[in-house]
Amino acid sequence: NTIGALRLFLAQSAVGAQGLVPRTTGAILNPNVELLLQAPQLRSFRFSFRMSARDAKEASQIRKIIRFFKQGMSVKRSDTSLFIVSPNMFRIQYLAGGEGNLSKDHPSIGKIKDCALTAINTQYTPDGTYMTFDDEARSMTSYVINMQFTELEPLTETDYIETAARTDSIGY
């Protein structure tokens, strides 16, 4: 019965008809099933960083960091300029110190799949006042960047099974 009802439902969806399943089987599909899963959701992560320079050299590094992320989220042009190419992907990891100098995934913080930077907002006067260094670039003394990353593929149960280094780790 389930296979027959599914075939009718798919046929109904393909031709745009309505009511084929109840007319032919006398039953209706459970509307609550849609509450469980309509489509896999991609997770988003927000990060906020305050960067305050102590001198012009640090301010220059902060400007480079901000530019790196802004440039990394922008689309690229193909060599022929006929197409646009996807922005950079980012791999975000929380690391914990391991034996020697080796770092490993932090077992008590969730893992994140490869992401795209989907939004960045830079506050140039986070303290409410305009204050710069006396350098050629007139660098701000403090910046706040708020970034939103979105994973590129949905999370599945298989991800937990395949990548669980420890059974007591949080996973994703």
Side-chain angles (χ1 to χ4, degrees):
N1 287 345
T2 304
I3 293 173
L6 226 97
R7 286 183 181 151
L8 276 171
F9 177 75
L10 293 173
Q12 170 182 301
S13 298
V15 297
Q18 293 182 343
L20 289 180
V21 175
R23 281 187 227 150
T24 57
T25 65
I28 63 168
L29 291 173
N30 182 353
N32 295 329
V33 172
E34 290 183 17
L35 295 175
L36 296 175
L37 179 67
Q38 290 182 352
Q41 297 294 313
L42 298 176
R43 299 184 306 168
S44 291
F45 301 90
R46 292 181 184 268
F47 297 96
S48 183
F49 297 98
R50 179 185 202 82
M51 296 180 284
S52 299
R54 293 175 287 196
D55 56 35
K57 184 177 179 184
E58 285 184 2
S60 173
Q61 290 300 314
I62 291 171
R63 286 195 319 272
K64 288 177 183 179
I65 291 168
I66 294 170
R67 181 184 175 117
F68 168 80
F69 284 111
K70 285 185 171 189
Q71 187 172 346
M73 75 173 288
S74 62
V75 294
K76 317 307 183 228
R77 289 189 184 179
S78 66
D79 293 336
T80 62
S81 295
L82 184 60
F83 299 102
I84 56 171
V85 182
S86 299
N88 293 349
M89 293 188 307
F90 293 88
R91 180 163 293 143
I92 301 169
Q93 290 179 279
Y94 294 101
L95 299 175
E99 294 178 23
N101 284 337
L102 298 175
S103 295
K104 58 183 179 177
D105 283 331
H106 197 297
S108 298
I109 300 177
K111 294 172 70 170
I112 300 173
K113 290 185 165 194
D114 289 349
C115 294
L117 178 57
T118 54
I120 185 168
N121 181 336
T122 307
Q123 295 177 17
Y124 298 99
T125 56
D127 299 319
T129 59
Y130 175 83
M131 188 179 304
T132 65
F133 285 102
D134 191 21
D135 62 352
E136 186 178 310
R138 305 307 273 163
S139 304
M140 304 303 293
T141 57
S142 189
Y143 299 86
V144 171
I145 57 172
N146 298 297
M147 298 181 286
Q148 180 172 326
F149 293 87
T150 303
E151 285 180 328
L152 299 174
E153 61 180 65
L155 185 61
T156 64
E157 184 180 28
T158 308
D159 294 321
Y160 283 90
I161 295 167
E162 291 177 352
T163 61
R166 299 169 44 138
T167 56
D168 66 341
S169 71
I170 287 180
Y172 283 87

